[in-house]
Each structure stands twice: as structure tokens, then as C-alpha cells.
């Protein structure tokens, strides 16, 4: 079983930037889709961004133009660059793997079968 581990969460001021990192314990060529999600207490997990093996990306409207997802296959790593952070970005951020992102985005939550433990991002105004 591939293990995913997120890092990079922190407490920052509004307008600042953070880069989240998700490292997979081993290469997993069967999983061609990586996603970043976030969750706040009392709410469901929200898809933030995803990237397919062919490079196609998805972003939720609220982060478009501010967040960038990227991957480094050689390092089994996916990144989420977050700029111009807002208090509403405060959440626990998770990375996850799916066999395929599919054509209908965002990829349904149920398609993701491997999740990390999450990293806390707190943005103060």
C-alpha cells in the first residue's frame, strides 16, 4: 500500500503564501490522478485541485489564479502552491490518489482510494 504524507501546513497572515507537499512512499504507476482536498470542522471534504498523468489540472473556482498544483514524478511528489491566502482557505488539507481523474471534473471523491493524514493551514486576517 502506497502511503501519502502531506507537509507544509502552517499559520500565516492573509496575503502570504505556502507550498504544500505530498510525498508517496513508493512510485504507483496505477494511480494516474492526484488531488488536493480541504476540510473544515462540520463540513464535507472539498476538492481543491487535481492533476492527471497527462498534466490536465482542475481547480475549484475559489482558488483559481491563486493556487497551482504540480507534480514531480521522479520524486513521487505533488505540490500545491498557495498564494494570496485568505482566511477562508483555513482548513486541513489532504492529498489523495485515484486510478484516473476521468473526464468529468472534479473527480468524484469516491474515486480516490488512498489518502494522506492531512496538514493544517491556518490563515489569519
Amino acid at each position: 500500500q502506497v502511503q501519502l504524507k502531506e507537509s507544509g501546513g502552517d499559520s500565516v497572515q492573509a496575503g502570504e503564501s505556502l507550498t504544500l507537499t505530498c510525498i508517496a512512499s513508493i512510485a504507483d504507476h496505477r494511480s494516474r490522478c492526484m488531488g488536493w482536498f480541504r476540510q473544515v470542522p462540520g463540513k464535507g471534504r472539498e476538492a481543491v485541485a487535481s492533476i492527471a498523468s497527462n498534466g490536465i489540472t482542475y481547480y475549484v473556482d475559489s482558488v483559481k489564479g491563486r493556487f497551482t498544483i504540480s507534480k514531480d514524478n521522479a520524486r513521487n511528489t505533488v505540490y500545491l502552491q498557495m498564494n494570496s491566502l485568505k482566511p477562508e482557505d483555513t482548513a486541513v488539507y489532504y492529498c489523495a490518489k485515484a486510478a484516473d481523474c476521468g473526464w468529468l471534473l472534479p473527480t468524484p471523491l469516491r474515486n480516490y482510494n488512498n489518502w494522506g493524514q492531512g496538514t493544517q493551514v491556518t490563515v489569519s486576517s
Side-chain angles (χ1 to χ4, degrees):
Q1 176 78 346
V2 177
Q3 292 185 331
L4 303 178
K5 183 168 179 60
E6 305 93 338
S7 63
D10 204 349
S11 295
V12 297
Q13 296 292 313
E16 294 185 343
S17 299
L18 282 175
T19 299
L20 303 184
T21 300
C22 174
I23 299 176
S25 55
I26 57 174
D28 181 9
H29 300 295
R30 296 170 299 178
S31 296
R32 299 185 296 273
C33 180
M34 290 294 299
W36 283 99
F37 294 78
R38 62 188 178 187
Q39 189 169 22
V40 297
K43 291 192 176 181
R45 201 161 288 191
E46 177 187 42
V48 176
S50 66
I51 185 165
S53 58
N54 59 8
I56 292 177
T57 57
Y58 160 84
Y59 298 96
V60 68
D61 285 346
S62 60
V63 309
K64 284 180 180 177
R66 300 189 298 122
F67 290 12
T68 302
I69 188 170
S70 61
K71 59 189 176 78
D72 183 338
N73 293 330
R75 298 177 184 271
N76 301 326
T77 302
V78 176
Y79 305 97
L80 186 67
Q81 174 68 42
M82 305 187 296
N83 298 328
S84 303
L85 282 161
K86 303 176 181 181
E88 50 264 43
D89 295 319
T90 295
V92 178
Y93 283 72
Y94 300 88
C95 69
K97 279 181 169 283
D100 201 291
C101 286
W103 291 104
L104 185 60
L105 301 178
T107 305
L109 202 69
R110 62 180 180 273
N111 287 19
Y112 289 91
N113 53 22
N114 195 342
W115 294 82
Q117 294 300 306
T119 186
Q120 176 71 46
V121 172
T122 303
V123 185
S124 302
S125 58

